[in-house]
Amino acid sequence: AAPPGPPIYVDLAYLPGSWSARTVDEEFFRRIRSLCYVVSGDDHLKEGVLRSLLDALLAGKHQWGTDIQVTLIPTFDSLVMHEWYQETHDRQQELGITVLGSNSTVAMQDETFPACKVEF
């Protein structure tokens, strides 16, 4: 458990992947308040905890009591993410959460990959 204290405000926070993703709960989002959260780590371990992580974002953001817009940036495609997005879309709008989806592709050297641009 984290010691009591004020929230920490940041512009960008990467959410941990693999086994560490299990440590991201409602308290994490209540304490670490970011303008953008990056959900990375396209692996089977994260897929297993992804829904609880996304639900924790909703619950934690609800406790902020401020009108701060938050952007969620997934770096991989996931059925769990799609289902969560559809099922909680109204709640996301109420809380000021935007989920970035990107169909953009960047070509560098001999490689192409999906990407999105985030400006502060």
Side-chain angles (χ1 to χ4, degrees):
I8 298 168
Y9 293 88
V10 296
D11 289 329
L12 180 70
Y14 283 86
L15 301 177
S18 297
W19 289 106
S20 297
R22 298 174 190 267
T23 64
V24 179
D25 58 8
E26 181 179 336
E27 179 67 10
F28 174 90
F29 290 108
R30 190 187 68 72
R31 298 282 304 274
I32 307 297
R33 300 181 183 187
S34 182
L35 296 176
C36 297
Y37 291 102
V38 177
V39 182
S40 61
D42 185 11
D43 61 44
H44 68 282
L45 296 174
K46 175 149 264 166
E47 191 74 16
V49 298
L50 184 58
R51 179 62 192 236
S52 62
L53 184 146
L54 296 169
D55 288 340
L57 170 61
L58 294 176
K61 174 75 168 71
H62 175 75
Q63 296 180 35
W64 290 13
T66 60
D67 195 22
I68 298 174
Q69 185 69 30
V70 168
T71 302
L72 182 66
I73 306 168
T75 64
F76 59 96
D77 196 23
S78 162
L79 179 60
V80 172
M81 176 69 76
H82 286 280
E83 290 172 351
W84 175 83
Y85 179 83
Q86 293 296 324
E87 293 170 10
T88 65
H89 185 70
D90 291 340
R91 185 76 175 132
Q92 293 166 42
Q93 288 183 320
E94 289 171 19
L95 294 172
I97 298 172
T98 301
V99 179
L100 276 188
S102 176
N103 291 329
S104 298
T105 302
V106 173
M108 289 179 57
Q109 298 171 351
D110 293 330
E111 183 180 11
T112 60
F113 48 88
C116 66
K117 180 180 178 182
V118 179
E119 293 184 23
F120 296 98

